[in-house]
Amino acid sequence: MPLAKDLESYFAANQNRARDELFDLLRIPSVSARSEHNADTARAADWVANSMRAIGLTATIHPTKGHPIVVGEWRQAKPGAQTVLIYGHYDVQPAEPLELWDSPPFEPTIRDGKIFARGSVDDKGQLYLHIKALEAHLATRGTLPMNVIVLAEGEEEVGSENLEQFIASHEDLLTCDSVVISDSAMFAPGLPSILSSLRGLAYFEINVQGPAGDLHSGSYGGAVMNPAMALARILATMHDADGHIAIPGFYDKVRDWGAKARDEIRALPFDDEHFREETGSPSLFGEKGYSTLERVWMRPTCEVNGLLSGYTGEGAKTVLPAKAMAKVSCRLVPDQTPDEIEKLMRAHVASVSPPGVQVTVTQLHGGRPWRADLDGPLFDAARRALRAAFDKEPVVTGEGGSIPVVGDFQRILGTPVLLVGFGLPGENAHAPNEWMSVENYEKGMRAMAGLWEELGRA
Ligand code: BES
Ligand code: ZN
């Protein structure tokens, strides 16, 4: 069913304001990873809380050991109505390298129908479109077909360290019938998508210490273990030539998705060459026996995110470095857990570390993978609302990225989670020139307003 006339007219009449308001939020550099932005991050939390109050929700800011959690509430629905929790994050990734942005990251600009700014799609635009969808109902009808909790956190981009604890200790506040999240992308332009899986994450730092200080590579080279070489050797043991991860036990808990799931993945409109072009890599590479989408959605990974050792400046310097460091992260799939992977990683690194260096493994953060069956009235309503807003049948997709809290919602609150994203392939999330399509920002609002109407009808 098309969106009700009153809601549609409201969106049309308030389109520019909805955009201007989002721009205000995008101007706040709420970079959660950087302490010099702590005041900005707090300001973004205030801004989000006020935007909830402005549409008729009550909003509370809950301080944490890190960045605050904002909870908005509207609980005046008819008796027997459902309670829906909408989750999003107001923190963003660092904008660096700044010189690669075509316009400044915190001065939102529209070009080619795209809103360019850090956080436009991940996740401020997608969080705010939900607030605007609620506004449309409250402003036109004075009511909502369900009770609503909006949970906006400021630490998603740094691993949601304080959120699990917050959820566990605020079960009364957060009890709900379902959770809805927009923090992902559609599978293709114009093709609305519902997510059925996310990978988890186990993130490590590996430090290798050799001599007490840097040494002359002539006077000492060959007589002590070189930490950079030691680290390279350790890292080289993590995969075999076919792209399988060679850490003993790594695949023990990996659930087989079965032939049906693999058939469904194969049926999606996907082109390896197009995907390769998007990456700019000379060719694709991955675990033998799996297609690209299978590799990204249903198989775990072990990746080096960063490496540091020795002399990297101009020209040559003959030096034997004292230490070396690698950031290594594993994307996890059901039923792997970050804790088990940490044990396996530690045991493996210990067993392959060469003599003559001290190797330490530190876990930085982790999150569980998630996969769900998309059954029930919420998912049916979402399919109808997306079809109406985009004039296209939605597809069910997987995702290689992580949203750590999704597994917690399911585990602690026991509720189904609907993940419906309005980003697009190539949106440059976490990279320079991040963008969100203006069209998806506006259709996303309509789809969500339609979802609440569908839910009220069900
Ligand atoms: N919006 C992303 C999650 C995501 C990534 C969805 C890719 C769809 C595709 C989220 O903000 C994010 O970046 N998550 C981090 C989590 C990590 C810091 C624990 C990620 O996946 O790296
Ligand atoms: Zn992100």
Side-chain angles (χ1 to χ4, degrees):
M1 211 185 274
L3 190 61
K5 283 229 171 63
D6 57 339
L7 296 171
E8 177 53 45
S9 324
Y10 186 84
F11 284 123
N14 291 280
Q15 198 157 290
N16 292 344
R17 183 172 55 83
R19 208 181 286 175
D20 292 345
E21 289 171 3
L22 173 61
F23 276 29
D24 283 343
L25 177 57
L26 292 172
R27 283 190 194 100
I28 307 175
S30 45
V31 181
S32 50
R34 296 271 156 79
S35 52
E36 74 253 34
H37 284 297
N38 283 356
D40 296 316
T41 306
R43 194 151 54 88
D46 277 338
W47 193 99
V48 168
N50 284 331
S51 77
M52 293 176 185
R53 293 178 188 126
I55 65 164
L57 274 54
T58 56
T60 321
I61 299 177
H62 300 260
T64 72
K65 270 181 268 159
H67 302 297
I69 294 168
V70 183
V71 179
E73 293 172 83
W74 190 90
R75 298 184 188 269
Q76 298 160 42
K78 286 199 216 108
Q82 291 216 1
T83 300
V84 173
L85 187 151
I86 298 166
Y87 162 87
H89 61 95
Y90 65 81
D91 66 320
V92 302
Q93 288 274 330
E96 288 79 7
L98 297 180
E99 67 278 11
L100 296 184
W101 285 79
D102 295 330
S103 53
F106 298 106
E107 287 173 28
T109 319
I110 297 183
R111 293 190 301 275
D112 305 330
K114 298 167 176 173
I115 304 167
F116 285 88
R118 170 55 86 233
S120 54
V121 73
D122 185 9
D123 177 41
K124 288 172 171 174
Q126 299 202 66
L127 168 63
Y128 203 58
L129 69 83
H130 276 282
I131 293 176
K132 295 292 98 176
L134 298 174
E135 174 187 310
H137 275 269
L138 289 167
T140 56
R141 300 169 179 187
T143 186
L144 277 162
M146 74 293 181
N147 296 310
V148 175
I149 305 161
V150 183
L151 175 66
E153 73 154 317
E155 297 189 296
E156 197 276 347
E157 299 293 8
V158 287
S160 300
E161 285 298 310
N162 295 295
L163 191 56
E164 180 178 356
Q165 177 57 34
F166 180 82
I167 295 171
S169 58
H170 290 78
E171 269 189 64
D172 286 349
L173 174 67
L174 303 175
T175 295
C176 59
D177 299 293
S178 43
V179 173
V180 177
I181 303 178
S182 299
D183 188 21
S184 54
M186 307 205 309
F187 191 69
L191 186 58
S193 314
I194 298 177
L195 273 190
S196 67
S197 68
L198 290 163
R199 289 195 289 193
L201 191 69
Y203 203 120
F204 307 98
E205 186 174 305
I206 302 177
N207 279 282
V208 180
Q209 179 72 51
D214 287 358
L215 299 173
H216 191 292
S217 70
S219 315
Y220 299 95
V224 295
M225 175 61 76
N226 180 317
M229 285 309 299
L231 180 58
R233 282 173 59 179
I234 293 168
L235 295 175
T237 64
M238 291 189 180
H239 297 85
D240 69 15
D242 287 334
H244 295 291
I245 294 159
I247 298 171
F250 195 87
Y251 292 101
D252 286 358
K253 294 285 169 67
V254 174
R255 210 194 296 164
D256 183 18
W257 285 30
K260 187 165 167 272
R262 293 182 79 174
D263 285 345
E264 282 164 8
I265 293 176
R266 214 167 299 128
L268 289 165
F270 182 80
D271 174 42
D272 261 4
E273 177 51 22
H274 187 262
F275 183 82
R276 185 202 64 78
E277 254 172 45
E278 202 179 289
T279 69
S281 299
S283 64
L284 295 179
F285 172 79
E287 190 184 2
K288 202 171 170 183
Y290 296 91
S291 70
T292 299
L293 286 180
E294 289 171 348
R295 287 168 179 168
V296 177
W297 293 353
M298 67 178 212
R299 299 298 291 170
T301 67
C302 179
E303 298 285 356
V304 174
N305 296 247
L307 277 174
L308 196 67
S309 186
Y311 181 70
T312 55
E314 193 184 346
K317 178 187 180 194
T318 48
V319 64
L320 197 155
K323 55 191 180 182
M325 186 274 281
K327 306 266 187 188
V328 175
S329 71
C330 301
R331 293 281 169 176
L332 311 181
V333 298
D335 296 310
Q336 294 176 304
T337 65
D339 289 351
E340 281 165 2
I341 295 301
E342 179 188 2
K343 287 199 193 90
L344 297 175
M345 176 64 83
R346 284 184 189 286
H348 176 70
V349 170
S351 77
V352 298
S353 291
V357 286
Q358 246 173 1
V359 182
T360 53
V361 176
T362 316
Q363 181 162 23
L364 299 184
H365 59 61
R368 285 164 187 262
W370 170 85
R371 182 162 183 242
D373 291 327
L374 309 181
D375 296 324
L378 176 70
F379 295 99
D380 295 338
R383 285 196 187 89
R384 290 196 297 272
L386 287 169
R387 193 190 304 133
F390 288 88
D391 200 19
K392 185 118 188 169
E393 190 61 33
V395 290
V396 173
T397 66
E399 182 50 69
S402 312
I403 307 176
V405 72
V406 172
D408 298 334
F409 280 135
Q410 196 131 23
R411 223 177 51 256
I412 303 170
L413 302 178
T415 46
V417 184
L418 167 68
L419 281 145
V420 46
F422 299 104
L424 283 176
E427 67 197 7
N428 295 327
H430 296 202
N433 299 316
E434 175 180 351
W435 55 268
M436 173 156 195
S437 114
V438 175
E439 184 182 335
N440 277 14
Y441 180 55
E442 285 161 7
K443 285 190 174 168
M445 277 173 217
R446 287 166 167 84
M448 292 303 100
L451 170 60
W452 308 136
E453 188 155 58
E454 291 279 356
L455 204 65
R457 230 180 260 138

